[in-house]
Amino acid sequence: MIETDILIIGAGPTGLFAVFEAGLLQLKCHIIDALPQPGGQLAELYPKKPIFDIPGYPSVLAGDLVTNLMEQIKQFQPGFTLAETAETIDKLEDGTFIVTTNKGTKHHAKAVAIAGGLGTFEPRKPALENITFYEENGVEYFVKDPELFRDKEIVIAGGGDSALDWSIFLSNVAKKVTLVHRRNEFRGALDSVEKVQELKKEGKINLITPAEVVGIQGENHVESITLDRDGVLEQFKTDYFIPLFGLTPKLGAIANWGLEIEKNAIKVNNALDYQTNIDGIYAIGDVNIYPGKLKLILCGFHEATLMCQSVYNRINPGKRYVLKYTTVSGVDGFDGTRKEAEKAVVKSID
């Protein structure tokens, strides 16, 4: 059983920043996310795309924002349950919660903050008749552990950032990397496209365009795929097939928790603390809805801040918290570190 003060469901920017705000209040956080790494959409869908509306950053790459958020919360030592989805929730008599994931991992929390963005992300699967048979038997929708592909022959399909970036990365891991895309043009960061072009010339990436994977073969594990190249079918030997066609957001099991849902989002009390209709369960960021809601990262940061204040009052009834600016109070991490402004020098002037 994992014990925590606030269980955050969703490791996107809003969920990550909530760890910082909770840490200022000396509240411990643990995060569950369906993706294999923190960052949510920013890390999975557009890590190299610039964001222009984060205060203090005229422009920041999505992946860099995630890196900065992880650095910011490091001293508060959050726990992570990654590549698992929150499946069930039980409210105990003392008002605390037990949340169990699809893999049976149990979490005991004094409050739950749903920060799932647009919901849990499910991979967009190619329309291949027998693909479910090969899932986790040669078909992988996420690269959870690159070492799985060490010295193997792999085929990656897709034309976006994920397909390009993983082709580049795995070119130094796998025995052979083949990138298949149904168009000659790729929709990804320019430097990634140029890097793939360079690796193609060096013989480290086998690029096949325009082409489409239309079949999978193998007795118990993927052994080959069928490619359609301008109407001509051909067999292609491979150990793994990795289709990277993006993700589809869904509320998933959370939709069955008894929360009030409107337009596939969770209704919250925005006049106070972004709490749902169930006491002790909050929803922050893109996953919630209220009058005037804007789906912006900076709005999620604001909602996370007020949510943490509410949880503090919930856990410490009657205990008054005096808000102090970090420029005055500094930041004390759970790891013993301290960040603070330099002290003013007291010196007389002759």
Side-chain angles (χ1 to χ4, degrees):
M1 183 79 73
I2 295 171
E3 299 283 345
T4 190
D5 292 321
I6 306 177
L7 181 66
I8 301 171
I9 300 172
T14 295
L16 294 178
F17 187 68
V19 174
F20 177 78
E21 289 297 322
L24 294 180
L25 300 167
Q26 295 296 293
L27 299 177
K28 189 75 176 174
C29 292
H30 190 93
I31 303 179
I32 299 174
D33 200 281
L35 295 176
Q37 75 285 317
Q41 293 182 68
L42 275 65
E44 188 66 24
L45 298 183
Y46 52 94
K48 294 188 177 181
K49 297 290 176 64
I51 303 173
F52 300 105
D53 60 355
I54 302 299
Y57 288 95
S59 174
V60 60
L61 296 181
D64 290 345
L65 179 59
V66 173
T67 299
N68 291 343
L69 286 165
M70 290 294 289
E71 179 64 26
Q72 186 178 30
I73 67 176
K74 183 170 64 175
Q75 66 184 133
F76 294 123
Q77 301 177 313
F80 289 90
T81 299
L82 300 174
E84 299 184 30
T85 59
E87 195 78 15
T88 63
I89 188 167
D90 296 294
K91 190 170 185 178
L92 307 182
E93 289 185 6
D94 62 358
T96 62
F97 301 88
I98 292 180
V99 174
T100 307
T101 71
N102 61 321
K103 294 186 179 178
T105 308
K106 292 184 178 295
H107 309 75
H108 182 216
K110 297 171 184 174
V112 174
I114 302 170
L118 299 174
T120 59
F121 289 107
E122 297 181 5
R124 291 194 177 97
K125 303 179 181 181
L128 302 177
E129 185 178 351
N130 58 348
I131 194 166
T132 55
F133 175 79
Y134 294 105
E135 288 173 356
E136 297 189 6
N137 289 303
V139 171
E140 301 288 339
Y141 299 110
F142 301 106
V143 180
K144 299 176 184 177
D145 180 10
E147 286 301 311
L148 177 67
F149 310 107
R150 174 71 64 182
D151 300 324
K152 303 293 184 181
E153 296 185 3
I154 66 173
V155 172
I156 295 175
D161 283 315
S162 291
L164 292 165
D165 292 344
W166 280 120
S167 294
I168 295 167
F169 184 89
L170 293 174
S171 67
N172 293 315
V173 176
K175 177 181 178 181
K176 180 180 180 181
V177 174
T178 299
L179 177 58
V180 177
H181 184 38
R182 58 196 178 98
R183 297 189 181 92
N184 291 319
E185 302 79 19
F186 287 83
R187 187 182 294 274
L190 180 60
D191 63 329
S192 296
V193 176
E194 291 175 345
K195 183 64 176 177
V196 167
Q197 181 70 35
E198 179 184 326
L199 291 171
K200 176 191 173 186
K201 291 179 181 178
E202 295 174 3
K204 292 186 176 181
I205 290 180
N206 178 29
L207 185 62
I208 303 178
T209 61
E212 194 169 356
V213 177
V214 295
I216 309 174
Q217 296 79 38
E219 187 172 347
N220 297 308
H221 193 280
V222 172
E223 297 174 9
S224 65
I225 59 167
T226 302
L227 284 178
D228 182 343
R229 304 178 71 173
D230 291 327
V232 178
L233 301 181
E234 61 180 89
Q235 295 279 111
F236 198 90
K237 181 180 176 297
T238 189
D239 298 307
Y240 287 93
F241 174 45
I242 310 173
L244 298 174
F245 298 142
L247 304 169
T248 301
K250 292 183 179 179
L251 273 181
I254 290 174
N256 303 317
W257 286 5
L259 301 167
E260 195 172 351
I261 307 295
E262 180 182 304
K263 298 179 180 177
N264 204 41
I266 302 170
K267 289 187 71 174
V268 295
N269 172 15
N270 68 305
L272 187 61
D273 55 11
Y274 304 97
Q275 199 160 189
T276 68
N277 59 302
I278 299 178
D279 184 44
I281 301 180
Y282 302 76
I284 54 177
D286 287 357
V287 76
N288 73 17
I289 190 169
Y290 54 83
K293 169 69 180 180
L294 293 177
K295 292 182 182 294
L296 296 172
I297 294 173
L298 61 92
C299 295
F301 290 167
H302 163 77
E303 294 165 10
T305 304
L306 296 189
M307 177 275 294
C308 289
Q309 295 285 329
S310 177
V311 173
Y312 178 86
N313 292 327
R314 173 185 172 82
I315 294 175
N316 303 286
K319 185 177 180 180
R320 184 166 174 262
Y321 171 73
V322 179
L323 176 66
K324 293 181 180 179
Y325 301 113
T326 54
T327 50
V328 176
S329 64
V331 179
D332 292 304
F334 298 156
D335 56 1
T337 59
R338 177 170 174 77
K339 297 177 181 176
E340 61 182 334
E342 290 185 13
K343 294 289 189 288
V345 176
V346 180
K347 191 177 188 301
S348 62
I349 299 176
D350 296 330

